Structure formats: C-alpha cells, structure tokens
Amino acid sequence: MSRRALTLLVAGFLALALAVIGAMLPVPYVVLSPGPTENTIGDVKGKPVITISGRETYPTQGRLSLVTVAYQGGPDNRLDLITALRGWLDPTIAVVPEETLFPKSTSAEQVEEQNVQEMTDSQQSATAAALNALKIPIEKVVTVAQTDKGTPADGKLKPGDEITAVDGSGVGELGSVAASVQRHKPGEPVTFTVRRGDASTEVPVGTVAGKDGKARVGVQMRASYRFPFKVDISVGEVGGPSAGLMFSLGIYDKLTPGALTGGMSIAGTGTIDPAGNVGPIGGIEQKMVGARRAGATVFLTPAGNCAAAVKAAPSGLRLVRVETLDGAIKAIDSLRDRSGEVPSCPAA
C-alpha cells in the first residue's frame, strides 16, 4: 500500500472515530415526546383517578382524558447527539435547550419539587372551580406552604397546617396573617392556632427582624380551600399544573347526573383557577399526538394555545377552543346533543 493510500486510510479511520465519539457525547438538550393519557373519570392501576366521599356521585361513561408530555435528558441524564438528531427528524417530538425545563439556577430536584407542588395546587384549584360551577359553597383558608430553614417557624409550623387564628383573632386572607405578625416587635412571640389533620392546636412561635425591620417568623403561606366533602385525586407521577381543566371536568361529571361526554372520547389540557378561567400550557403539539393515539376525537384547547395547535393537530382530532370551565361544559353539551355552535380554534 502506498504512503498516500495509507495516509488516506488512517485519516478516514480517525474521522470516523471522531464522528462516533462526537455522536456519543452528551448534549445540553431535552427531548419532549407524547406522554401517557389518563381518564379522569376512570381508573389508574385499579384506583379511581377522582374519588369523592361524603357527597352523592353518579355513574358516567366515555373519557375525559388529561394528557402529558414525557421528557428525556436533563442535567443528571444528558442526551447523546444521536438521540437529539433522531428527535429533530421526528415531527411528533420536540428537542429543546435543557434550560427550558431546567434553569441553571435550579436543580433537577427543585424542578421536581416544583412540579409536585404545582400539581397539588392545581388539584385544589380544579376542585374549587368545579364546586363553584355547581354553586356548592366552599371556604377560603390560609395554609402553610413551607417554613424557611433556621427561622423561628422552622420545625414548629408544618406544610399543610391551616392557620385559623393569630393571637386568638381569626384570619381569612394571607395579608391578615402577615399583618397580625407585624403588629409585634421583633423578638416577641406570636401564637398561631392551626388545624393539623383533624385537631386544632396552639403553636407559640418567636419572631425576628426582617430586612425591613418588621417582625417575621419565616413562614411561607398560600391561599387554599376547605370543601364540604372530600375530593381525592390520584394520578401517580404526573406533575405540573396543566391537568387542571380536565380534573375540574371529571369532578363536575361525577357530581352531576348523566354522562357529560355522552360516551365520547374527549381529551384536553389547560391550567385552571378557582374562578374557572383556563390558561395556556406548554407542549401542546406532543399532547395532541398523545391524545389522538389514545383514541380521542375531541381536544379541548386553551385559547392561548390555539395558534400553535392548528399548525400541528393530528388528523381526526377536532380542536375546541376553551377559555373557561363553563365554556368547556357548554361546548361538550353541544357536542353531545349535537346542538348549537361549538367554538373552535381558528385556522392559522
């Protein structure tokens, strides 16, 4: 073999080796793909997604499915270049920068904790929205979200505690708790009355001076609700706030006679607040694909996602535009009874 041929052979081998090694190197991207769907009026692993105790419920049928996005990659399990390239070639998959899901200032564990908390908050809001739609009275309460490490409240107040009074005076809003604490001078104790489980107890907590010089105890609170009966929602490892609309519809369906869907397979997505307002979400393209694969023929689409949805809707999936829980219920009624117009996402 001539020296020229040998040089070309070695160069080609080195180029191939470098290409293979480069393809196996981790890249800071995340692959988003259609995730599983769960029927909110059905079961997951033999357990109802929605269980209502202390109130009459009604049998139903059809599907009201929440949709999810699965992801691959992340700071602790980075993709290789080949996997990312495959994703770029698949129209049902999105390849996005890692920071889209995992900001540099946030660890993977913190992202997971945030997703879990958002799911918990979403279930509370979804229940409140459904009961408000049914004109069932609910009570607003203040609960402990978490305490700041090393502060007087750390170890004394616990996440989930419902704060019913401060120094014997009842509270109903977040601001009233803070105002009651700040009436004290830093260093003076404050007595919280909390409902913990089924018991009510008084918890004395010291105070320290905050950055503004006012008394603080180091507790982070959130507005929550007490319902006149128990609503449990169980969907396994699904996180985030985007299933709120479908939870609300599932609760509404179980609390009203007849089948809301009339037997149809309906999927959808959207955040929801206690007033029933539906907000946009991420991953709409992958969620629609997952819904269609699961047999859905109707997809409830937040108005804010319509522009992206119409560009990527799979064949056979009808997009229904929703802005509120009430609007979603009316749209489903019209589809079921084949009466009246149903709002749709406008063509792009």
Side-chain angles (χ1 to χ4, degrees):
M1 181 181 295
S2 69
R3 179 176 294 179
R4 177 181 174 79
L6 180 61
T7 301
L8 290 173
L9 180 63
V10 171
F13 175 78
L14 289 174
L16 178 62
L18 288 172
V20 171
I21 292 171
M24 296 175 66
L25 289 175
V27 292
Y29 288 90
V30 176
V31 166
L32 305 179
S33 58
T37 65
E38 301 293 356
N39 182 14
T40 60
I41 52 175
D43 297 347
V44 173
K45 297 180 179 179
K47 181 179 179 179
V49 172
I50 297 172
T51 302
I52 299 173
S53 309
R55 181 88 175 193
E56 183 178 9
T57 58
Y58 302 88
T60 188
Q61 59 180 329
R63 294 181 65 87
L64 285 168
S65 298
L66 63 86
V67 287
T68 63
V69 174
Y71 77 87
Q72 183 180 358
D76 298 331
N77 186 28
R78 279 190 164 163
L79 300 174
D80 57 58
L81 182 58
I82 291 178
T83 301
L85 288 172
R86 280 201 213 103
W88 273 310
L89 296 173
D90 188 336
T92 68
I93 288 177
V95 181
V96 300
E98 190 175 86
E99 290 183 24
T100 305
L101 270 67
F102 302 94
K104 285 186 176 180
S105 60
T106 307
S107 68
E109 291 76 16
Q110 288 173 321
V111 170
E112 182 63 28
E113 289 174 3
Q114 180 179 343
N115 285 337
V116 170
Q117 187 58 61
E118 287 178 342
M119 170 59 79
T120 300
D121 293 344
S122 174
Q123 292 174 359
Q124 273 267 319
S125 294
T127 303
L131 270 57
N132 281 331
L134 291 165
K135 303 296 190 290
I136 297 173
I138 60 177
E139 183 181 354
K140 185 181 288 187
V141 297
V142 176
T143 57
V144 174
Q146 65 181 64
T147 55
D148 299 330
K149 191 172 182 179
T151 62
D154 186 18
K156 292 190 174 183
L157 296 176
K158 299 180 179 180
D161 281 351
E162 178 188 324
I163 301 173
T164 59
V166 179
D167 293 329
S169 298
V171 298
E173 300 288 342
L174 294 176
S176 63
V177 176
S180 296
V181 171
Q182 290 174 1
R183 290 191 188 102
H184 291 263
K185 295 179 180 179
E188 291 181 350
V190 180
T191 300
F192 289 86
T193 304
V194 302
R195 187 189 301 275
R196 187 174 292 167
D198 294 327
S200 180
T201 183
E202 291 189 349
V203 181
V205 180
T207 60
V208 294
K211 291 181 179 179
D212 58 1
K214 296 179 180 180
R216 64 184 295 267
V217 297
V219 61
Q220 297 182 34
M221 303 168 291
R222 64 171 178 266
S224 188
Y225 300 89
R226 186 186 301 130
F227 305 116
F229 48 87
K230 192 172 183 181
V231 179
D232 285 326
I233 300 176
S234 177
V235 284
E237 298 181 357
V238 176
S242 64
L245 170 63
M246 303 313 293
F247 287 145
S248 285
L249 288 169
I251 295 167
Y252 181 94
D253 194 9
K254 289 198 166 196
L255 290 173
T256 51
L260 178 62
T261 69
M264 292 182 292
S265 180
I266 297 174
T269 188
T271 64
I272 200 161
D273 66 18
N277 298 304
V278 176
I281 49 77
I284 189 73
E285 297 87 353
Q286 290 71 45
K287 290 177 178 179
M288 291 189 300
V289 171
R292 189 70 187 104
R293 286 177 180 174
T297 56
V298 174
F299 192 84
L300 304 178
T301 312
N305 290 119
C306 270
V310 294
K311 297 177 182 178
S315 176
L317 191 65
R318 180 176 183 176
L319 304 185
V320 174
R321 187 182 78 254
V322 294
E323 298 183 51
T324 64
L325 174 60
D326 182 63
I329 293 168
K330 289 177 178 176
I332 295 173
D333 287 343
S334 295
L335 288 169
R336 182 192 64 236
D337 301 334
R338 299 182 180 180
S339 62
E341 293 186 4
V342 176
S344 60
C345 287

